[in-house]
Amino acid sequence: MRKIIIFFLICLSFNFQYSSSMAYEEAPYNLVHSTDTYEIRHYKDRLVVEVVNKNDDNSFRKLFRYISGQNNKSEEIKMTVPVTQGEKDEGYYMQFYLPSKFTKDNAPLPNNPDIKISTIKEGHFAVIQYSGRASDNNYFKHRDILNQKLIEDNININGPAIRATYNGPFTLPMMRRNEAMFNVEWKKM
């Protein structure tokens, strides 16, 4: 039993060391309101690469290839957070945020026609954070909690929920940061 505990502590300390050395650029925001359950953030325009599809599970792989150099400049691009997913009229999407040094004019163009460079327009987003696995059940549970709280607080939702994940697959579930968010109409309370 003692060996198991020692092994667990070594793994845990490695995970702390590994995750602190893997600091990724995050889309900046201003916190404009906070409750016990959620917060309202204001984001400026953000540049993303995205894949929209109806039944293809290769979105992450396609986006990862783009940032790994499969673009018109053969440029490797640093990973950023979060990775976002959601629904659009034409299907489901996955997005990688581009580092802040890029604009529409200087971002490498995708070689893959399934990948598009898009701008997420400035706006307010209601966000609930949670840890654990980024499973559908965990996400749906927190999305529904956030939705209910926004209804109770008379905050109008503009569109479907967004799933945001911040950690790689080897991060211990209790150390993971996940979010469910909605674009909202925000007026100071």
Side-chain angles (χ1 to χ4, degrees), residues 27-28 41-50 80-86 88 93-98 104 116-125 158 160 162-164 181-184:
R41 300 174 183 166
H42 178 261
Y43 287 93
K44 295 191 184 252
D45 287 357
R46 291 154 290 154
L47 198 61
V48 296
V49 287
E50 70 179 2
T80 61
V81 292
V83 173
T84 51
Q85 297 172 278
K88 285 192 173 185
Y93 68 84
M94 179 177 282
Q95 299 169 325
F96 282 12
Y97 290 73
L98 288 175
K104 275 252 194 193
K116 306 226 176 325
I117 297 175
S118 301
T119 300
I120 300 174
K121 294 294 181 192
E122 176 177 9
H124 289 93
F125 291 80
N158 299 323
I162 301 163
R163 179 192 307 218
M181 58 176 61
F182 288 100
N183 178 258
V184 296

Side-chain angles (χ1 to χ4, degrees), residues 93-112:
Y93 68 84
M94 179 177 282
Q95 299 169 325
F96 282 12
Y97 290 73
L98 288 175
S100 57
K101 71 178 187 174
F102 290 111
T103 66
K104 275 252 194 193
D105 295 329
N106 70 4
L109 298 174
N111 293 341
N112 185 330

